[in-house]
Amino acid sequence: VRPPISRPFADTNQGKTMLKNTIALVAFIAGLAGVAAAEQGDWLVRLRGVIVAPTENTSDVLPGFPGGQVGVENAFVPELDFTYFFTRNIAAELILATSPHDLVGEGTLAGLGEVADVMVLPPTLTLQYHFNPGGKLRPYAGVGVNWSIFYSEDASSALVGALGPTSVNVDDSVGFAYQVGFDLALSERWFLNADVKYIQIDTTATLNTGGANNTVDVDLDPIVAGIGVGFRF
């Protein structure tokens, strides 16, 4: 009869380690089991806080102010969006927000400071591809179209003081929009979101002073970056 085979303490420790790893893996899988992926027909709603940061390029204010341009200040606003899934991977997102922007003089107009303020409503519709719909971290990319509607344009007191009573009009704009972002699942329904968009907004602002018009072409092209929370239903 062969004597029993002795097992070194190292084997025992290795077995304990394997058991611990197995338990950890089971717990991890159990945690993921409560995180459901978006399916065809699902809706997501997100609320983000965003910064709208124009990367503007402007012409001179002509014909009256050669060498004078305008800059557009950043804005911090809430943003609401709705996403509908056509398949597990393909979805459409409608982005709704409105942001106030100050227009400031540059070049030969720098001494005026703020020259006008304007509100912009930029509804944006993108078609997205979601790369990892079954995971906790779900990156996506999208491309679409933006329609920017400008309203509540007002000349500043500094501009009125320099030129006299002046009205401001900013043309609406249609352009492309691009986005990347990700959702991080917190539960079956709730998730965190981070998103960055580049939106093409090219417009013309007209200053009318006593029937005399000065115009400036402005390529706003803002980067819109935000973080927020979302819910799937």
Side-chain angles (χ1 to χ4, degrees), residues 1-221:
V1 179
R2 294 182 180 180
I5 300 174
S6 63
R7 299 185 182 276
F9 291 110
D11 288 347
T12 303
N13 292 335
Q14 184 179 13
K16 290 181 179 179
T17 300
M18 291 178 64
L19 179 60
K20 290 180 180 179
N21 290 341
T22 301
I23 294 173
L25 179 60
V26 171
F28 177 73
I29 294 173
L32 291 183
V35 180
E39 300 288 347
Q40 180 180 354
D42 281 356
W43 287 87
L44 306 181
V45 59
R46 300 181 182 91
L47 179 64
R48 303 185 185 107
V50 302
I51 178 174
V52 183
T55 61
E56 79 275 357
N57 180 34
T58 74
S59 69
D60 289 356
V61 182
L62 297 175
F65 304 96
Q69 300 90 34
V70 295
V72 184
E73 299 287 279
N74 296 346
F76 297 88
V77 296
E79 178 192 85
L80 183 67
D81 75 73
F82 300 91
T83 301
Y84 177 78
F85 279 80
F86 300 105
T87 71
R88 280 169 55 90
N89 297 97
I90 298 175
E93 180 181 87
L94 178 63
I95 302 157
L96 301 174
T98 187
S99 58
H101 293 277
D102 294 331
L103 310 182
V104 297
E106 296 181 346
T108 59
L109 294 176
L112 292 178
E114 181 184 338
V115 296
D117 59 76
V118 62
M119 298 288 295
V120 57
L121 177 67
T124 304
L125 180 65
T126 60
L127 185 65
Q128 301 173 333
Y129 187 86
H130 292 251
F131 294 95
N132 185 32
K136 290 193 71 171
L137 182 65
R138 305 167 185 169
Y140 59 85
V143 62
V145 64
N146 162 264
W147 177 27
S148 290
I149 304 165
F150 294 90
Y151 65 100
S152 296
E153 305 101 318
D154 290 308
S156 70
S157 57
L159 184 65
V160 171
L163 301 182
T166 300
S167 64
V168 180
N169 180 72
V170 182
D171 294 341
D172 294 346
S173 167
V174 175
F176 291 106
Y178 310 90
Q179 74 176 151
V180 293
F182 65 84
D183 295 319
L184 178 63
L186 300 176
S187 69
E188 184 176 356
R189 298 288 181 181
W190 291 95
F191 55 90
L192 295 176
N193 174 262
D195 185 274
V196 178
K197 292 179 284 290
Y198 175 83
I199 301 176
Q200 183 185 44
I201 303 177
D202 300 336
T203 185
T204 299
T206 302
L207 311 178
N208 184 291
T209 306
N213 289 333
N214 286 285
T215 62
V216 54
D217 295 326
V218 183
D219 297 340
L220 288 173
D221 299 343

